């Protein structure tokens, strides 16, 4: 889908498809574009729109470069902060003249959020560079929201891991908590990768803005976003360290529970050895065994087996092994 926007200086209006492109046409937004839409933008702006395969290339020369007077910047970004639908995809910014072209193959919620900011007058849309930094600001805000959500989930996981309960529910079993902690660790890793990619886009944009002699406010906003990313990196590092600690703690608790089970079986085996010995002795088929003729032999043998099991049990309880 191709959406074209014209600027009025304070807001964005959808461009009339039948009207020619003017100097006020500042944004071409391509979402899952068809080949025809790619060709249409290429004819209008005289640039080459990268394909999905080209956007996924990881070498820096394929993600940040200039061609025919246009600057290309591709970032790897997470989208949809809900953990059940968290995804990642590439997003390409193309600055050409006074216009911005965005190419994406996922529905980033940051884009409608950015348009809402423009409607409220909280973001500038006078040029392609202003729109680009506005989108990056919104992406950083959504990453901050995701980090806050991860912190809340990690707090809940920590509470479930370290609560001392006799019985654990299905949701608080250590295996479930281990899986949940690992999931949050994977999300933090993907957010870190996204933030690193966004930092590279921001630095390349700053160099591009210097070459294009953009207004000073653009550089101020770039520096502000750069500081925000730096502060978020500290939160991500803290979260990553805490999740690693919780993973180790959960594995330790699982190992401890397994050791407790093994210890219980070992103690039970030791407790049952004396009664087994008594039963084995009187289970032998020798002809001359005086106790076999006793009237009280059977109850005495039972009492002897019971006492031989009770004495180790009391001893183990006294030692704290049970």
């Amino acid at each position: 889908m191709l959406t074209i926007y014209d600027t009025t200086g304070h807001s964005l209006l959808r461009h009339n498809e039948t009207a020619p492109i003017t100097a006020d046409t500042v944004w071409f937004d391509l979402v899952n574009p068809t080949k025809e839409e790619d060709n249409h933008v290429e004819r209008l702006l005289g640039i080459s729109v990268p394909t999905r395969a080209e956007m996924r290339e990881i070498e820096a020369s394929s993600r940040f470069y200039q061609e025919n007077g246009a600057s290309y910047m591709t970032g790897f970004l997470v989208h949809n902060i809900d953990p059940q639908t968290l995804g990642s995809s590439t997003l390409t910014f193309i600055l050409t003249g006074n216009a911005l072209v965005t190419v994406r193959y996922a529905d980033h919620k940051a884009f409608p959020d950015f348009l809402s900011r423009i409607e409220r007058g909280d973001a500038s849309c006078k040029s392609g560079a202003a729109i680009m930094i506005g989108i990056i600001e919104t992406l950083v805000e959504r990453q901050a929201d995701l980090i806050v959500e991860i912190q809340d989930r990690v707090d809940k996981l920590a509470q479930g891991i370290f609560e001392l309960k006799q019985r654990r529910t299905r949701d608080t079993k250590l295996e479930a908590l281990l899986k949940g902690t690992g999931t949050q660790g994977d999300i933090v890793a993907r957010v870190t990768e996204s933030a690193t990619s966004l930092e590279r886009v921001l630095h390349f944009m700053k160099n591009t803005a210097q070459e294009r002699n953009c207004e000073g406010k653009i550089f101020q906003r770039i520096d502000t976003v750069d500081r925000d990313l730096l502060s978020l990196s500290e939160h991500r590092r803290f979260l990553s360290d805490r999740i690693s600690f919780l993973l180790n703690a959960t594995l330790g608790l699982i190992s401890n529970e397994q050791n407790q089970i093994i210890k219980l079986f070992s103690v039970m085996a030791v407790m049952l050895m004396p009664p087994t010995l008594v039963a084995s002795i009187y289970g032998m088929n020798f002809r001359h065994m005086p106790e076999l003729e006793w009237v009280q032999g059977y109850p005495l043998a039972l009492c002897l087996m019971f006492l031989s099991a009770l004495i180790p049990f009391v001893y183990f309880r006294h030692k704290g092994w049970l």
Side-chain angles (χ1 to χ4, degrees), residues 297-315:
Y298 176 69
L300 287 175
L302 292 178
C303 290
L304 182 60
M305 287 188 286
F306 175 75
L307 289 174
S308 63
L310 179 62
I311 292 172
F313 175 77
V314 173
Y315 177 78

Side-chain angles (χ1 to χ4, degrees), residues 176-203:
L177 293 171
L178 179 63
K179 181 179 179 181
T181 306
T183 299
Q184 300 309 314
D186 176 64
I187 293 176
V188 170
R190 294 166 70 178
V191 171
T192 301
E193 181 182 12
S194 174
T196 302
S197 180
L198 203 56
E199 288 176 359
R200 294 173 180 172
V201 170
L202 196 65
H203 293 161

